[in-house]
Structures are given as structure tokens and as C-alpha cells.
Amino acid sequence: PDIPSSVSFCGKDIDLTRYNMHEGFDRELSSFTYFHSTTMLLIKRANRYFPIIEPILKANGIPDDFKYLCMAESGLDPNVRSGAGAAGLWQLMPVYAKSVGLLVGGDVDERYDVTKATEAACRYLADAYERLGSWTLAAASYNVGIAGVSRRLAKQGVDSYYDLFLPAETLRYVFRVLAFKLIAPDPAAYGFRIDPDDYYKPLTDYHEATVEGRPIDWAAVARSHGTNYKMLRELNHWIRDYDYDNKAGRSFVIKVPNRDFRRAR
């Protein structure tokens, strides 16, 4: 694929004429252009999850480009979990998720709730931007941590992500986000021919219901609402097991599939 002379991230133009910038971007753009099956699935999934993510980013003052960071983090798979314990679309770690009020456990884990996880990611990114003064550095910190970026900036005496020496994974990180930004809106330009009917549709054919009491048997809840446990999990990824003791007496709002929920089109 052709490499542009510049590309923008969060409203800032990035010069790609420097050899290391050109080659770093070329590596990621080429990788995802020719990583056909994975990239095609990412593009299809974006049609399902971007309509949820985009308004939340906007409401929290986070640049729209960060939806591509979400692609880089999880491949837009809401059930993915890393070996380090990060989970969900935004790959939130347990300690951070708990610190912003999400339930994290083996039976209920709100890191898998797309809406709540996006809100939590926005809080992190807003804090990172305030402390680091740059959206690009905030993006890098999502991979290596705010302290990790701050320490390296101070030690190296620079103030830009593009002048900062970082671990190999983090050096590639923002370029990976930028590659998705170019490919996802115009997949045909990179060789991906996807029929409009093949994009994954947003899962909007549902109604909401409140569940409370102790204990909660999710399979029984599903049956009482005219569906089954499998379909309940399809809309509520944060349900991670059959039962929840609910010692704290919480109430949960669940999405219940309607009659035509399973129809692909």
C-alpha cells in the first residue's frame, strides 16, 4: 500500500517523511493490509460496535480517532481476554476497572459491558491527556501506562511520542492505530471487497428488563423472559457464569432479545 506523506491523529498532522516514521507506519499498514482474514473481521465488527463507541467518546470529549485504538486493543471482540488479565473491547485491567466502579469477577464482569467499558476507557484517556498534554502520548500510555510514559519523557528530555524511545510494542502501538484509521473507512482502497450485507449489523432488536434479588439464576431469568441463556449472553457479555450470589443486593439492567433478534438481516 502507498504510504502518505502525512496522516492526522486527533486533529494533529503527523509527518511521515522521516525514515523511521515512514517505516514504522509502513510496517503496520502492510501487516494489516495482508493479514486478510483478521482485518476483514475487524472491518465487519466495526459496523456493529462503532455506533455504540462513537457517541460515548464524543460525550466525554475524547477524539473520535480513539475508536481505532479499541480496534488495536481487542480486535473488537467483546469476549477477548489477554494473558495479563485485561478483558473486553477496551482490554481493561482488573485494578483500574475496580477503581472506576466496575464489577470485576468470575460470575459478573462489567469490563465486558461495551458501554460501561467505553465510559471507563474515556475516564482513563481524559486523565492521561490532562497529565501528559498530548493525545498521542495518552494513546501510548494506554499500552505502557501514564507513569511509564512520564518516566521516559523525563529521562530522555523530549516531549513528543515521535521522539520518545519506548518498548517495541509501544513503539508500534500508535502506528497500528493509524493503520486502522486508514483501512477501516475505505477498505476497498486496501483490497478488501466486502458486500454491504456482509457487515455485522448492530444488535438493536432487544428490550431492557431489571433483574434483582439473591441469588440470581441467569438461565432462569432468560426463560422467564422468553429466551434462553445463550441468547441472553449474546447481548450481555458481562454475565460470565450461570449464577450470581448478589450478596450486595444489586439490581441489573439486562438486554433481552426480541422475537426477530436472530435474523441476520
Side-chain angles (χ1 to χ4, degrees), residues 2 12 14 47 53 60 74-75 86 121 123 171 203 218 220 244 248:
D2 292 333
K12 299 286 187 179
I14 299 164
N47 195 61
I53 293 169
N60 285 275
S74 63
R123 290 181 64 176
L171 282 171
L203 301 178
W218 294 113
Y244 181 58

Side-chain angles (χ1 to χ4, degrees), residues 1 182 194 201 254:
L182 260 65
I194 306 175
K201 304 300 183 289
I254 60 168

